[in-house]
Amino acid sequence: MTQLAKIFLPVLFLVENVLSGCSEKWKTIVKTGKDGKEKSGSKRDLVNHLMVGDDIRFSLDNGLYFSSIQSAILTGDENICAQALFHISKSGYNNFQGDAYWLFSNVCTSGHVHMSRWSVGAHTDRGQTKTTYDITWFARSRNCQTKPVYCNLESGWRKCGNVSLLAKSVLNSASVKVLNVQNGYITSFTNIAV
C-alpha cells in the first residue's frame, strides 16, 4: 500500500477573509530599472506587502504586459524573485497561437527576467530567454486580515491559531497563502482539500 508523506515546515497560513471590502485596489509599490535600482517607491515596501500576504502583480517595461505572481522568494538584500506560471502563448489580444506553448517567468526586482517556454501537450523545450527589464510592482492589500490564521513548527505542532478556523475559511471560499519565515518563501494555494 502506498503511504503519503507528510511534509512539515514552519509556516504561517494567511487567509483572505471573505467579508466584503476585504481587498483594496492595486497600488504601485516600486519601480525598478534594468539594473535593479529603485526608480520610485521602495523594495522594502514590496517585501512588507509580501510578508503580510498581499497579492502582488508586475508589469514589464512597456506597461502592456501585466501578470500576478504565484510565489516569491526573498533574498537578504531586499530583492525578491517571483514566479508567474502557466501562461499560454497568444498570437494577439484575443487569440491563442496555433502551435501554443506554456510560458513560465521568473521576475526579480534586480531587473533580471528568465522566461521558459514549453510546448502544450508535449515535453518539448521551446526556448529560454534571460534578459533585464524595467519593472513596475503593484500590491493589493488585505486590510481585513494581517495576522496568520494558523502557524505550525517543523514538527507539525501548532504554534499559533486554530486549524479549525483555517479549514472553515477554506470551506467558505477564502484564498490561502503560506509563508515560510525561515527562507522567505511565500506562495498561494490553488487546490486545497479539507
Side-chain angles (χ1 to χ4, degrees):
M1 173 178 273
T2 305
Q3 195 171 21
L4 296 175
K6 290 185 180 179
I7 300 172
F8 294 108
L9 300 170
V11 295
L12 306 174
F13 288 90
L14 305 166
V15 177
E16 174 191 346
N17 195 333
V18 292
L19 300 174
S20 61
C22 182
S23 296
E24 295 180 0
K25 294 181 180 181
W26 291 99
K27 294 179 184 174
T28 302
I29 303 303
V30 64
K31 293 181 180 183
T32 56
K34 291 181 180 185
D35 58 1
K37 292 183 180 171
E38 298 164 336
K39 290 183 162 188
S40 66
S42 162
K43 290 182 188 181
R44 181 74 241 168
D45 287 346
L46 183 61
V47 169
N48 292 340
H49 281 278
L50 275 166
M51 297 299 285
V52 296
D54 290 348
D55 293 326
I56 304 297
R57 174 181 286 176
F58 65 87
S59 174
L60 300 180
D61 61 357
N62 60 13
L64 298 177
Y65 177 79
F66 294 83
S67 181
S68 293
I69 68 165
Q70 284 72 45
S71 61
I73 188 127
L74 311 174
T75 65
D77 60 359
E78 294 190 350
N79 277 308
I80 68 159
C81 287
Q83 293 181 333
L85 307 172
F86 300 112
H87 297 247
I88 295 182
S89 60
K90 297 176 71 175
S91 61
Y93 173 71
N94 59 354
N95 294 312
F96 290 106
Q97 288 183 316
D99 187 20
Y101 57 83
W102 291 104
L103 175 65
F104 303 89
S105 301
N106 193 40
V107 180
C108 303
T109 54
S110 63
H112 293 95
V113 176
H114 180 189
M115 296 179 186
S116 179
R117 294 169 293 286
W118 293 83
S119 293
V120 173
H123 187 71
T124 305
D125 186 347
R126 298 282 294 274
Q128 312 276 323
T129 303
K130 291 183 180 181
T131 189
T132 56
Y133 282 98
D134 291 339
I135 305 167
T136 303
W137 297 86
F138 306 88
R140 185 171 57 188
S141 295
R142 306 264 180 218
N143 57 10
C144 59
Q145 179 67 52
T146 58
K147 294 182 181 176
V149 170
Y150 182 75
C151 318
N152 65 274
L153 302 169
E154 281 187 57
S155 64
W157 290 99
R158 181 183 70 86
K159 181 178 179 182
C160 75
N162 184 320
V163 74
S164 304
L165 179 57
L166 176 60
K168 183 179 177 181
S169 298
V170 170
L171 292 171
N172 285 312
S173 302
S175 297
V176 178
K177 292 187 178 192
V178 64
L179 167 66
N180 182 321
V181 292
Q182 284 183 333
N183 67 12
Y185 183 76
I186 188 166
T187 190
S188 298
F189 286 108
T190 54
N191 297 301
I192 302 174
V194 177

